[in-house]
Amino acid sequence: MKELMTFEKALEELETIVKKLELAQDSLENSIALYEKGVQLKKFCEEKLKDATLKIEKISLSSNGTPELVDQI
């Protein structure tokens, strides 16, 4: 998986793969390859969402009302 891929681009590709698989017009070999790529993209998206969630959970408001990162050890 490319490190420079964004969540949005990965999700877009995943949606395209799902649509192609739903049509079931490819050969078995192509369908398997698409499925494998879809699994990789799904994992990539899940990791990006997990990272984003962790970052959001660490953000709190300081005493003056501005956002700041909080270390949660």
Side-chain angles (χ1 to χ4, degrees):
M1 188 71 44
K2 298 176 185 176
E3 283 299 317
L4 300 177
M5 180 175 281
T6 64
F7 172 83
E8 292 79 9
K9 180 66 176 163
L11 187 59
E12 182 181 314
E13 284 189 40
L14 183 56
E15 289 171 345
T16 300
I17 288 172
V18 169
K19 287 176 186 174
K20 286 181 180 180
L21 289 173
E22 287 176 342
L23 293 174
Q25 294 177 341
D26 273 331
S27 67
L28 178 60
E29 292 80 15
N30 286 344
S31 294
I32 291 170
L34 283 171
Y35 181 82
E36 289 173 340
K37 184 170 183 176
V39 169
Q40 291 174 343
L41 289 166
K42 177 184 170 281
K43 183 177 177 181
F44 177 84
C45 289
E46 286 174 340
E47 287 295 318
K48 289 290 189 182
L49 286 173
K50 180 182 171 187
D51 291 345
T53 300
L54 291 174
K55 286 180 184 178
I56 289 169
E57 288 174 352
K58 290 181 181 180
I59 295 174
S60 80
L61 295 178
S62 66
S63 58
N64 66 1
T66 60
E68 66 181 3
L69 287 177
V70 177
D71 289 328
Q72 295 177 341
I73 298 175

